Amino acid sequence: MLAYLEHFVRENDAESRQDDDVASLARALELQASIDQFGPTGIATKDFGGIKSAKPLALVRPSSTVDVARVVKAAAASPSLTVAARGNGHSVNGQAMAEQGLVLDMRALEEPFKILWIEGAAYVDVSGGALWEDVLKRCVSEVGLAPRSWTDYLGLTVGGTLSYAGVSGQTFRYGPQTSNVTELEVVTGKGETLCCSQTQNSELFFGALGGLGQFGIITRARVVLQQAPDMVRWIRVVYSEFEEYAGDAESLVEELEECFDYVEGFVLVNSDDRANGWPTVPLGPEQVFDPIHIPSSAGPVLYCLELALHYRNADHLSRVDTDVDRLLQRLRFIRGLNFQMDVTYMEFLLRVKRVEEHAKASGTWDSPHPWLNLFLSKSNILDFDREVFKKILKHGVDGPILVYPLLRNKWDDRHSVVVPDSEIFYIVALLRFSPAPPKGPPVEVLLEQNNEIIQFCTNRGLDFKLYFPHYQSREDWRKHFGKQWARFVERKANFDPMAILAPGQAIFPRTS
Ligand code: FAD
């Protein structure tokens, strides 16, 4: 049964077609009585980006896969309804919205949570609507195991990140989250519920991973587990020269055998600015960033390599120190700008939760977030540093500017996500947290800056792809997917021929 259905739109001027849609939906779901209720929240009208808004016809809270399938079938039976699975709504461009359509609140989906051992390897079956932070907590506390590949922030749903890729400092070793699931249960745009894997309904499995929600709604995922460490040595070291920073980061991710367990990094402004500069580096309140160490040759920005090494409670700290020193000694960071801290594994993985709390307290969590995320070939990263980091972004973005290398061979070409054609490519993420106007800049100014960066990449012919892509025209989508476009279109025709699903991605118009 559907647990709950919120009706948002009942303006008198609603088109009769929409009335027909609601009526046919209500009949199909046998929920005539509750369909006319206004809901207590407007979550489906907005997202984390705070730039776009939409008025859906209804917010549906499914309690089971059967509910999800019934909603999709009901939409398919109507002339124009669309269905958007909403994970935790952390998209920034309305991707989880459905104007005049149905929004499925995937968080309501009841949890399968089942640990499985198959041929000696551990997996967990979780709901597509589960938050990664809950998956982490249950896996660690119940069986001492944990997924291998993460995102930085864990208040995101399993289905939401698997629809893109899911990237963080473990991706160089294990690939994105999409490379760490072995089976999915998916409700297609035809309303069929299918179990899929590399060997069963494989085209749907590969399509749904990184598929922008276009081919089906992920209701369950089987995630690979490994033993969870107890502790993490969390390290930040600072560079003034990008060539040295990038060279060291690349050599670390290429040496998989003897390396850190996590490799990331970010750009900071070479100043004492609290949001953009030196104060963003120290890991604890007792640590001091002393700018005396910065060489006089340094430019407007500096680079911070962020690393982590896992260990167990039984390991002696002196042994951890020795291992860390050995790994750090050949790196070319500025001696004196080396920050380290020991935290539990959970504290480390939940580190961005603290950022969320601060941002909520200061109001920047709820201000607009015109974020820009892209993947850029290694061969273009120096050019990008020279023109974008050192010039366009020399005053920062009031939040992290991530830049770290990933290995192409950890990504599966059969998945729907597209990345640059290069053995090493970088993720660049401008995670803007400016206060809303009048304290901060108008969002249009920030969007313009994003456009300037994209324009720079395009004009120079850089090999890049947007991560969390969003385009207005079919032509732009075709360019984004490049030689994978035909496959993407074919998958759409096979699994969601009427283009019912994920309308907020604005790739395919609904057909009847
Ligand atoms: P939503 O925004 O709700 O949905 C995203 C898209 O997926 C929509 O099109 C939606 O229809 C579709 N969808 C949702 N659930 C399903 C499902 N079950 N089946 C099929 N389609 C579905 N990303 C990273 O890779 N690495 C990071 O480190 C990272 N950090 C972040 C930190 C913050 C603070 C924020 C806000 C975002 C971050 N992201 C990161 C981006 C994040 O991965 C995406 O925004 C993702 O879409 C969020 O998941 P969600 O559950 O909120 O999905």
Side-chain angles (χ1 to χ4, degrees), residues 120-282:
Y123 303 86
V124 64
D125 273 359
V126 289
S127 156
L131 290 183
W132 283 107
E133 64 185 40
D134 295 331
V135 175
L136 168 72
K137 286 174 192 163
R138 285 196 70 175
C139 287
V140 172
S141 66
E142 293 181 22
V143 283
L145 300 171
R148 309 184 301 186
S149 182
W150 295 100
T151 46
D152 294 345
Y153 169 68
L154 306 190
L156 309 168
T157 64
V158 169
T161 67
L162 291 181
S163 297
Y164 287 108
V167 176
S168 186
Q170 304 84 8
T171 306
F172 76 96
R173 175 165 296 167
Y174 300 113
Q177 290 181 315
T178 39
S179 296
N180 289 274
V181 288
T182 59
E183 188 180 291
L184 300 174
E185 179 188 75
V186 174
V187 175
T188 69
K190 297 177 188 167
E192 303 161 312
T193 302
L194 297 173
C195 182
C196 57
S197 67
Q198 294 213 10
T199 52
Q200 185 187 6
N201 296 312
S202 58
E203 199 53 23
L204 180 61
F205 178 73
F206 296 132
L209 294 170
L212 309 175
Q214 293 302 302
F215 313 118
I217 297 174
I218 299 168
T219 47
R220 177 179 62 77
R222 180 163 296 169
V223 182
V224 180
L225 298 178
Q226 67 180 5
Q227 194 175 48
D230 299 313
M231 297 294 294
V232 171
R233 172 68 57 88
W234 185 9
I235 302 156
R236 286 181 176 169
V237 291
V238 177
Y239 293 71
S240 60
E241 303 306 319
F242 187 73
E243 288 81 349
E244 293 180 353
Y245 167 80
D248 282 357
E250 286 174 20
S251 73
L252 285 175
V253 302
E254 281 181 305
E255 281 166 35
L256 294 177
E257 290 307 311
E258 231 203 325
C259 180
F260 292 98
D261 295 292
Y262 165 103
V263 177
E264 274 206 16
F266 58 93
V267 180
L268 63 137
V269 176
N270 187 4
S271 79
D272 62 357
D273 184 284
R274 280 173 56 85
N276 298 291
W278 310 324
T280 60
V281 175

Side-chain angles (χ1 to χ4, degrees), residues 44-64:
T45 64
K46 57 188 180 187
D47 65 17
F48 180 79
I51 301 162
K52 297 219 170 126
S53 65
K55 273 192 175 170
L57 205 57
L59 174 69
V60 182
R61 298 189 198 279
S63 59
S64 66

